Amino acid sequence: MAFTALNKEFSRLLRASLLAYHKNGRRGLTVSAARRCSIYTTDPIDANEPTFDKILIANRGEIACRVIKTARKMGIKTVAIHSDVDSNAPHVKLADEAICVGTAQARDSYLRMDRILDAIKTTGSQAVHPGYGFLSENADFVQQLEDIGVTFIGPNAKAITGMGDKLESKRLAMGAGVNTIPGFDGIVKDAEDCVRISNDIGYPVMIKASAGGGGKGMRIAWNDDEAREGFKLSTQEAASSFGDDRILVEKFVDNPRHIEIQVLGDKFGNAIYLNERECSIQRRNQKVIEEAPSVFLDEATRKAMGEQAVALAKQIGYSSAGTVEFLVDSKKNFYFLEMNTRLQVEHPITECITGVDLVHQMIRVAKGHALKISQKDVPIRGWAIESRVYAEDPFKNFGLPSIGRLSKYQEPLHLQKVRCDSGIEEGSEISIYYDPMICKLVCYGDNREEALERSIKALDAYVIRGVTHNIPLLRDILTEERFVSGNISTNYLPEVYPDGFKGKQLTSKEKADLTAVMASIYVKDALRSRNFVNAERIKVNSRIPSSWNLVARVAGEAVPCEVKLEDGTFKVTVEGRVVTVDSAFDLASPLIEANIDGEQETVQLIKLGSGGEIRIRYKGTAFQTTVVTDTAHRYLSYMPEKPKVDQSKVVLSPMPGLVKSIACAPGDMVGEGQEVCVIEAMKMQNSLVAAATGKVKAVHVKEGETVEEEQVLVELE
């Protein structure tokens, strides 16, 4: 008995000490409050409040790490589940215990309810936090947990079922007095039925999975052909992602904003809204950049949207954190889109502006505690922007997945008011099996201008090597005139980049500055190469040139320049303008803090080759450049150019993925633009078409086969 009492007292003291540890911001070093954007003050953690002893996180990656961190603050032990390929993942290392639940494919591990239930029983977990995705909105999983007396940290099964089916959720929303979009209130039978319904509603229409979410199983159709194609691809994606291929059709609100309301409810009938998040910057219906609050909403519209969201939450007896998504037109009319009955990916920006730890609230509510926060306690404190950093190639349809190992990884946490929610580390593998997200980069400021400035600096200082990533696109958006002014919609990307994203387009001043930096790097490397370390100096010509006449190739253009080194400063003459670059930078560092004409500029030296090749990341975009002497440049002009390969006769895979279907065979005639195969990557279906009319010479892949980026799939004669 004495031992049991002592053990309970030790647990209480441990929980209190962990609380103090995190309140002080200690993780090896003291971090001041000003350097953390997520300062939870609205409802601080009470170390004496009863909570769970152990919870299992039925997820992976950054969201698993996120849940574990708050559980740790509350003194709760955590259990991680993982697939065999995730056995060394950060979320596994961070948890107190870890259980392998299967192989790499999600259907064989993170979606295996039986194995997860076994893990719960084996570890004695009292509750399960689902994160987002996987089983987070699976009512059957919730019911099975209830059957074995384990708490689901989320809403009840009835709420999940009601909101998980888009048809039922629309009916429930209408019953709660929520504005809804006109559409067909039933199940679409086949492609021709989809065309008929689309014509009845009037184009454009949105074709989407009834059980869907996260942008998967959604297509916009502007005519009959697109409706047929959209039905086919949406059905396939819905079956693959959700195990439910039912499709619905509704009117597409042209040029809308996507604005969502965060809600929080308990089991005593209390519900509040925690303001809005602007999520209009999207590609393929998936969010790219989010911010809170929205520049578009006035207080009256915010209140009306919030009250409707709360009315819906109360209507379905919602008891957890959830998100009600709306489409908002140019006149501030808003329409219910869907409700996500889980923690949203972009929840950190709400935490930044309200001071509410949403994971903490979810755990409290699941344990049976009432909300301590009322609507009047919810502030809008500053501004927060989340940039979703993905392992994607932004030059291909605004982001097709990339895979590889992170050979170098350095988050910009040395900057103030920056938060990185990630589940990877240097050496981690980005594979085809899971979402390609690297990190949610959240930057906070007292106002939008500060949050934007902080985001730009953080992206410039974010070092990621080994995979292609979308930082070039993220940074370009944050500096683009329309975005900065707040004039955005869900059509933003195709409108601003009608020909696709082409990288940073340099002004004449930026080109001169980049040329000056590259020339300075070249000269500094040349001077370093003259030094002999731990050896007697060999008698060679030791005279240091007074100047260097160089030619830099920037964005396909040869730019002559002259470099002089005077009093620790490189003076680079470019097209008649003298640019000064402080020489006190380190070539061995992945980040170069270059002082250009007295202004600080962060650039990344990715590669420095012996032949003058310099790959440098400047203003987000990686530029492949060369710097050589003017003499070498003259000689290079005599070198023959490598002939370009005609790719119109082959269909290449634009990304690593799985061959889902093949629509042609050797000997078939195909027309330009005709589909020849479908590649699935990260659960998204991508239709690949022939670039020219011709006869199929060979099909080099089979259905179910895994392919690499740029692999030849189909060849024409």
Side-chain angles (χ1 to χ4, degrees), residues 226 377 646:
E226 290 183 5
D377 298 322
D646 180 16

Side-chain angles (χ1 to χ4, degrees), residues 664-670 694-699 715 717:
C664 64
D668 289 353
M669 286 297 299
V670 295
K695 181 183 287 188
V696 177
K697 179 181 179 181
V699 178
E715 191 176 353
E717 291 182 356

Side-chain angles (χ1 to χ4, degrees), residues 595-651:
N595 190 310
I596 306 172
D597 287 343
E599 295 184 5
Q600 202 72 14
E601 191 79 58
T602 301
V603 299
Q604 296 184 29
L605 180 58
I606 301 171
K607 179 184 178 183
L608 180 57
S610 58
E613 305 93 351
I614 298 177
R615 184 168 175 80
I616 190 169
R617 190 170 300 282
Y618 175 68
K619 296 190 180 295
T621 296
F623 291 89
Q624 185 65 49
T625 64
T626 57
V627 179
V628 295
T629 64
D630 56 352
T631 303
H633 177 70
R634 287 196 301 273
Y635 291 148
L636 286 170
S637 65
Y638 296 107
M639 297 293 289
E641 290 188 9
K642 184 177 179 180
K644 294 183 178 179
V645 179
D646 180 16
Q647 294 186 347
S648 64
K649 297 298 183 182
V650 293
V651 177

Side-chain angles (χ1 to χ4, degrees), residues 199-217:
N199 279 284
D200 289 343
I201 296 171
Y203 290 107
V205 296
M206 174 67 82
I207 301 166
K208 59 185 181 180
S210 176
K216 295 180 175 65

